[in-house]
């Protein structure tokens, strides 16, 4: 939609045209301060003015310089709940204000955030701090409404800002105000006070009760409480960015179960499992931060399911580059690679007990995680050269050294290694053949997954690749042909992980997105199942049984899609 066909803006109420013009000027002036504060006495019309701006600024087709990207009515909200609301609106997986600030800083697109009624917030001081921190980012504009004469107004206006006090006469056209009041005799300039809707009572110790209640009220109650409530409080606040989404109580119970630690009331898992019977997933097992039996393996930054000597196991790499091997049946530890790989980005296992880890500089580090079968007797004497796996890794190292673009993604399939780079190109490297390449993304490849599909009774296979990118697309490519022209999936946020495997439903694809969404797609019949763990999923893997393992900074969860999941 062009500027000429953009939606029409109505006049603001009560003669506030001068104030409205000033706000629009602030939005459009690149030299204006990043923070604007609208203040005034109670009943001065602050909320009505912001409601006018937000109502028009959030409509589809609004021109960029007048666009409002996120807003949170602050009465009753804390910095945490405001962060969750903004995260949902901005497609950001943010569990804390720090997460939100980091995500905003990393995304250079213009972002305008409105925060009405700060004086009515649950934690005004922390919200003042959040607003000031966001406004320090060059590409972020923050508009805050706060009552005049409060300490929160003083804190917000102590530094550089655009301040508007609606009690001052220059912000009102008195002629238009008189005309508007004559036409609306029953409406005051300020928004009329309304009695809050009565809330259904809930029990913070009862998982069924909290999953059925208003999630924002439950969050506020847990934040105010100093009790553990059998572990429910920690689990709720850990996954609240997901729990506060609109969803059935059964799906909320599933999320809460996946976030529940093992130090709480032992009766809770069974209660939550029963409450989640109608959910689209079943939690097979979960390990969260702080668990001791078996211990939580740490933040999962990359993940792969083992084959060959590592069959039935998971290879998990954490934020410090430590590579652990876990039993896929219960997440119990079965080993660890001796040398960590700082800045690890991706992990691949080669089917012979060896594991390669890609670091942030695009360098591969290979170590043995399990003993592979070695030739014996005369075979060992005759075959004393490098193994097939060693030849492959040598070919990969030589190939990557010739490339100018840094490698950003890695997986292994059959007798090959698949690489993605910062230029959006995918490379399939095998021994004795020229690498096959295709540019499939605009910008960095963030994830690659591969499977070998059988195509004949004699055991012939075809490699099928799925790749995710920072451009927000997932694409499919079989290296013996051209990539598919249309993406398999596309959204307005980056892909963080992909996994492909086979299950009873046939070929299945899992996608993790930067806003915290995890998708499970049955490719043969278009069934789609989604899961929001409450924080960004960095790693995905399918087990041999077809279950999906999801890794975040807070949890590692093995899940099974219920067969009744609708299309």
């Amino acid at each position: 939609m062009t500027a000429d066909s953009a939606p029409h803006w109505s006049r603001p109420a009560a003669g506030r045209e001068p104030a409205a013009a000033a706000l629009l000027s602030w939005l459009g002036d690149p030299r204006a301060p990043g923070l604007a504060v609208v203040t005034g006495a109670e009943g001065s019309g602050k909320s009505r003015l912001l409601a006018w701006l937000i109502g028009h600024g959030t409509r589809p087709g609004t021109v960029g310089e007048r666009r409002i990207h996120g807003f949170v009515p602050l009465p009753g909200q804390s910095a945490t709940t405001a962060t969750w609301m903004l995260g949902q609106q901005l497609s950001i997986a943010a569990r804390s204000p720090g997460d939100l600030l980091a995500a905003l800083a990393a995304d250079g697109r213009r972002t305008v955030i409105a925060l009405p009624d700060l004086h009515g917030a649950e934690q005004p001081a922390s919200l003042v701090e959040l607003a000031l921190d966001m406004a320090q980012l060059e590409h972020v504009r923050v508009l805050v409404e706060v009552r005049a004469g409060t300490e929160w107004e003083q804190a917000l206006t102590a530094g550089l800002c655009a301040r508007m006090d609606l009690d001052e006469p220059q912000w009102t056209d008195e002629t238009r105000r008189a005309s508007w009041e004559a036409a609306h005799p029953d409406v005051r300039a300020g928004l009329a006070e309304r009695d809050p809707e009565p809330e259904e009572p809930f029990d913070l110790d009862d998982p069924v009760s909290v999953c059925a209640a208003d999630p924002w009220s439950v969050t506020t109650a847990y934040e105010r409480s100093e009790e553990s409530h059998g572990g429910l409080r920690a689990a709720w606040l850990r996954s609240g960015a997901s729990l506060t989404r609109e969803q059935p109580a059964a799906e909320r119970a599933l999320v809460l179960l996946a976030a529940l630690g093992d130090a709480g009331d032992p009766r809770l898992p069974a209660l939550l499992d029963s409450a989640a019977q109608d959910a689209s997933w079943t939690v097979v097992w979960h390990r969260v931060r702080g668990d001791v039996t078996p211990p939580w393996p740490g933040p999962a930054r990359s993940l792969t399911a083992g084959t060959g000597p590592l069959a039935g196991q998971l290879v998990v790499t954490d934020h410090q580059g430590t590579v652990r091997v876990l039993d896929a049946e219960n997440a119990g530890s079965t080993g660890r690679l001796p040398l960590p790989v700082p800045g690890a980005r991706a992990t691949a296992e080669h089917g012979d007990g060896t594991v390669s880890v890609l670091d942030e500089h695009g360098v591969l580090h290979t170590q043995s995680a399990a003993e592979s079968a070695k030739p014996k007797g005369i075979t060992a004497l005759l075959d004393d050269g490098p193994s097939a796996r060693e030849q492959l890794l040598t070919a990969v190292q030589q190939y990557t050294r010739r490339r100018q673009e840094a490698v950003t993604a890695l997986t292994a399939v059959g007798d090959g290694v698949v690489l993605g780079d910062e230029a959006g190109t995918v490379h399939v490297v095998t021994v004795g053949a020229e690498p096959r390449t295709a540019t499939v993304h605009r910008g960095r490849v963030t994830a690659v997954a591969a499977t070998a599909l059988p195509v004949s009774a004699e055991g012939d296979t075809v490699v099928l690749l799925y790749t995710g990118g920072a451009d927000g697309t997932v694409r499919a490519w079989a290296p013996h042909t051209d990539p598919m022209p249309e993406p398999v999936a596309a959204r307005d946020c980056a892909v963080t992980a992909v996994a492909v495997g086979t299950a009873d439903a046939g070929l299945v694809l899992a996608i993790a997105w930067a806003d915290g969404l995890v998708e499970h797609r049955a490719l043969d019949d278009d069934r789609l199942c989604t899961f929001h763990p409450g924080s960004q999923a960095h790693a995905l893997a399918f087990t041999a049984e077809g279950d999906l393992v999801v890794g975040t900074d807070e949890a590692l969860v093995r899940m099974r899609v219920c067969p009744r999941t609708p299309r």
Side-chain angles (χ1 to χ4, degrees):
M1 183 177 290
T2 65
D4 292 339
S5 59
H8 172 71
W9 284 56
S10 64
R11 291 184 178 275
R16 292 299 189 185
E17 283 84 353
L23 287 178
L24 295 178
S25 177
W26 170 75
L27 284 173
D29 184 356
R31 298 168 298 177
L35 174 66
V37 181
V38 176
T39 187
E42 181 179 3
S44 60
K46 303 183 299 298
S47 296
R48 186 179 296 279
L49 178 62
L50 259 69
W52 170 84
L53 184 68
I54 293 169
H56 287 290
T58 54
R59 291 185 301 176
T62 297
V63 295
E65 70 174 22
R66 294 186 175 186
R67 183 77 181 162
I68 306 294
H69 301 91
F71 68 96
V72 178
L74 292 177
Q77 303 298 331
S78 66
T80 298
T81 57
T83 292
W84 296 345
M85 285 187 179
L86 288 173
Q88 292 175 18
Q89 296 172 32
L90 301 175
S91 297
I92 293 173
R95 292 184 58 250
S96 67
D99 290 345
L100 177 64
L101 289 168
L104 288 172
D107 186 344
R109 292 178 295 180
R110 173 186 169 93
T111 304
V112 180
I113 295 170
L115 302 175
D117 294 315
L118 184 137
H119 48 272
E122 180 76 12
Q123 300 172 359
S126 57
L127 281 160
V128 167
E129 181 180 358
L130 175 60
L132 292 173
D133 287 342
M134 290 192 295
Q136 290 297 313
L137 300 173
E138 185 176 355
H139 56 283
V140 177
R141 293 287 179 96
V142 182
L143 174 62
V144 183
E145 175 206 346
V146 63
R147 188 171 297 163
T150 62
E151 60 180 299
W152 321 120
E153 184 215 8
Q154 297 172 9
L156 286 165
T157 58
L160 180 64
C161 71
R163 180 179 181 274
M164 176 188 294
D165 185 346
L166 291 185
D167 293 328
E168 296 174 353
Q170 68 264 33
W171 304 121
T172 306
D173 183 323
E174 290 298 338
T175 301
R176 291 193 178 278
R177 178 176 182 172
S179 175
W180 185 88
E181 289 181 345
H184 303 82
D186 298 326
V187 182
R188 299 176 56 191
L191 291 178
E193 295 289 336
R194 297 181 181 178
D195 293 330
E197 294 289 332
E199 293 183 0
E200 293 292 330
F202 51 85
D203 182 356
L204 294 180
D205 294 314
D206 180 357
V208 177
S209 176
V210 296
C211 288
D214 173 63
W216 299 106
S217 299
V218 173
T219 301
T220 300
Y222 275 134
E223 285 192 309
R224 291 173 177 172
S225 177
E226 296 181 357
E227 301 178 18
S228 69
H229 300 284
L232 283 176
R233 180 181 185 274
W236 186 281
L237 296 179
R238 176 181 290 121
S239 55
S242 172
L243 293 166
T244 49
R245 302 177 66 88
E246 288 293 330
Q247 59 191 309
E251 300 291 343
R252 197 167 282 132
L254 175 85
V255 174
L256 193 55
L257 173 60
L260 190 67
D262 66 2
D265 188 329
R267 298 170 294 179
L268 291 178
L271 292 171
L272 283 168
D273 188 56
S274 176
Q277 281 188 354
D278 292 331
S280 50
W281 300 82
T282 297
V283 175
V284 179
W285 51 251
H286 59 288
R287 302 289 175 259
V288 303
R289 184 183 293 271
D291 280 1
V292 294
T293 310
W296 175 60
R301 292 303 172 86
S302 66
L303 178 64
T304 188
T307 59
L310 293 174
Q313 300 178 81
L314 299 169
V315 182
V316 186
T317 306
D318 70 14
H319 63 303
Q320 296 178 326
T322 301
V323 183
R324 294 178 174 85
V325 182
L326 310 180
D327 187 337
E329 289 299 314
N330 57 20
S333 177
T334 61
R336 184 172 69 178
L337 268 61
L339 300 176
V341 181
R345 273 187 169 174
T347 306
E349 67 89 33
H350 299 280
D352 65 350
T354 57
V355 172
S356 291
V357 181
L358 178 71
D359 70 18
E360 60 189 346
H361 304 295
V363 178
L364 261 62
H365 306 258
T366 300
Q367 301 177 58
S368 176
E371 289 296 326
S372 59
K374 297 181 179 180
K376 299 179 180 179
I378 193 170
T379 303
L381 292 174
L382 295 175
D383 186 15
D384 60 352
S387 67
R389 189 264 306 166
E390 291 169 338
Q391 294 179 54
L392 173 62
L393 292 177
T394 298
V396 171
Q397 296 284 12
Q398 292 174 347
Y399 181 70
T400 56
R401 279 197 291 267
R402 298 197 303 267
R403 306 292 304 175
Q404 292 184 345
E405 298 83 6
V407 177
T408 57
L410 165 73
T411 194
V413 58
D415 59 355
V417 166
V418 184
L419 309 170
D421 67 28
E422 61 185 2
T425 302
V426 180
H427 314 256
V428 182
V429 183
T430 55
V431 176
E434 282 296 312
R436 295 172 178 171
T437 67
T439 300
V440 294
H441 294 282
R442 296 179 180 177
R444 181 166 60 94
V445 179
T446 56
V448 292
T451 188
L453 291 179
V455 293
S456 72
E458 290 73 26
D460 296 326
T461 61
V462 169
V463 171
L464 182 61
L465 307 179
Y466 287 90
T467 66
D471 59 358
T473 65
V474 175
R475 295 186 176 273
W477 177 39
H480 65 282
T481 185
D482 293 331
M484 292 180 62
E486 297 297 325
V488 176
R491 298 182 68 235
D492 189 25
C493 61
V495 178
T496 58
V498 292
V500 64
T502 54
D504 294 339
L507 194 65
V508 288
L509 174 68
I511 310 168
W513 303 87
D515 64 351
L517 171 66
V518 175
E519 293 183 325
H520 180 287
R521 295 170 176 250
L523 297 174
D524 292 343
D525 60 10
D526 295 330
R527 281 185 298 168
L528 173 65
C529 186
T530 62
F531 175 60
H532 288 83
S535 56
Q536 189 179 100
H538 300 289
L540 300 172
F542 282 108
T543 68
E545 297 79 14
D547 294 344
L548 179 64
V549 183
V550 180
T552 73
D553 282 346
E554 296 292 318
L556 188 68
V557 187
R558 176 171 173 172
M559 309 181 70
R560 183 170 299 148
V561 173
C562 295
R564 61 179 175 275
T565 302
R567 292 189 179 189

